[in-house]
Amino acid sequence: MTALSVNLNKIAVLRNSRGGRDPDVVAAGGACLDAGAHGLTVHPRPDARHIRSDDVLALGALCAARGVEFNVEGNPFAPPRTGYPGLMALCEAVRPAQVTLVPDGDGQLTSDHGFDFPRDGEALRPLIAAFKALGCRVSVFVDVGDPAIGQAAAVGADRVELYTGPYAEAYAAGTPAAALAAAADTARRAQAAGLQVNAGHDLSQANLAAFLAAVPDVREVSIGHALIGEALYAGLDSTVRAYRRIVDRASTA
């Protein structure tokens, strides 16, 4: 079964643009869960451009109360600073079901590449062990086609999240076949190494079904930007329900 985790970052962007509490990310998270989302995702960044540390605590409490998965994303190498205690400290506080490690820098607009395992693997190893000691499943962000993907298992990761931005671009251009084949091959190589597979970035109602049909045994998709954008027109409840229909059909195909 493929789980749908809704990323709430863009709700926080809108709130932060005016200050105050509205729109309320916890209320939005509750609405997504009411509509059938299997869990919630946040990516707190050190600059607090969207999700803040207090949001992580509040959403962690919501997910715990609802008995659903909470997925916290972030760069494990980013040091603490004012307003951001660091990814490890946040995970110690909320004990999310999953932590997704992403190698994004402070000035990066969005996550757009996976880890370089020959360079980063040994530095990741003790951090992954520490997250797992908190009871978190650990997923690491990877590029489709990465020849070193098996090293994610060697340094202790449980899952990989395939970066699907290039697939979304190819789909929009009307040429998705090669990107789908590459994603399917990468997923199979990861699974052969003992890893489970997640996916995320620029997935949408338009391109999600084709991706899930082509890529075997995707355990979770984390979707935020497209889903929140679509919800501006159709409403949050209707949009989350539409995504659930897509993942449910893929899971029973």
Side-chain angles (χ1 to χ4, degrees):
M1 178 177 178
T2 302
L4 169 66
S5 187
V6 176
N7 188 314
L8 297 170
N9 286 0
K10 289 302 185 294
I11 300 291
V13 168
L14 183 57
R15 177 200 61 194
N16 293 356
S17 71
R18 285 287 297 271
R21 295 174 54 87
D22 295 322
D24 188 315
V25 293
V26 176
C32 291
L33 296 176
D34 289 342
H38 298 103
L40 301 175
T41 291
V42 293
H43 188 155
R45 284 183 163 85
D47 62 8
R49 74 182 76 161
H50 38 60
I51 289 291
R52 303 186 303 242
S53 296
D54 59 314
D55 297 324
V56 177
L57 301 180
L59 289 165
L62 172 67
C63 289
R66 293 291 194 96
V68 299
E69 288 208 351
F70 190 34
N71 173 42
V72 178
E73 301 180 343
N75 184 349
F77 301 129
R81 63 199 70 178
T82 302
Y84 179 74
L87 184 62
M88 184 67 70
L90 287 171
C91 290
E92 287 175 345
V94 299
R95 305 297 174 106
Q98 179 173 271
V99 57
T100 299
L101 307 183
V102 184
D104 54 354
D106 280 5
Q108 230 172 286
L109 181 63
T110 186
S111 304
D112 62 6
H113 64 280
F115 282 101
D116 179 336
F117 290 105
R119 182 191 67 200
D120 300 325
E122 288 309 308
L124 283 169
R125 185 189 298 275
L127 295 171
I128 289 173
F131 285 115
K132 292 175 74 168
L134 297 176
C136 305
R137 179 174 65 239
V138 178
S139 178
V140 291
F141 205 55
V142 300
D143 292 317
V144 168
D146 183 354
I149 197 167
Q151 291 185 31
V155 297
D158 303 295
R159 294 188 179 185
V160 293
E161 179 175 325
L162 303 183
Y163 169 48
T164 50
Y167 159 68
E169 292 180 3
Y171 187 95
T175 57
L180 282 173
D185 176 70
T186 303
R188 292 188 183 98
R189 288 191 292 108
Q191 290 154 354
L195 296 157
Q196 295 178 335
V197 174
N198 296 341
H201 206 88
D202 288 342
L203 294 173
S204 68
Q205 288 186 60
N207 62 36
L208 179 58
F211 183 84
L212 294 178
V215 181
D217 197 21
V218 176
R219 296 300 179 91
E220 177 188 279
V221 288
S222 174
I223 303 177
H225 183 82
L227 187 153
I228 300 304
E230 291 159 353
L232 293 175
Y233 307 105
L236 192 55
D237 184 90
S238 295
T239 303
V240 172
R241 291 181 189 277
Y243 276 94
R244 266 299 303 264
R245 288 193 291 271
I246 294 170
V247 298
D248 289 350
R249 283 196 296 266
S251 297
T252 57

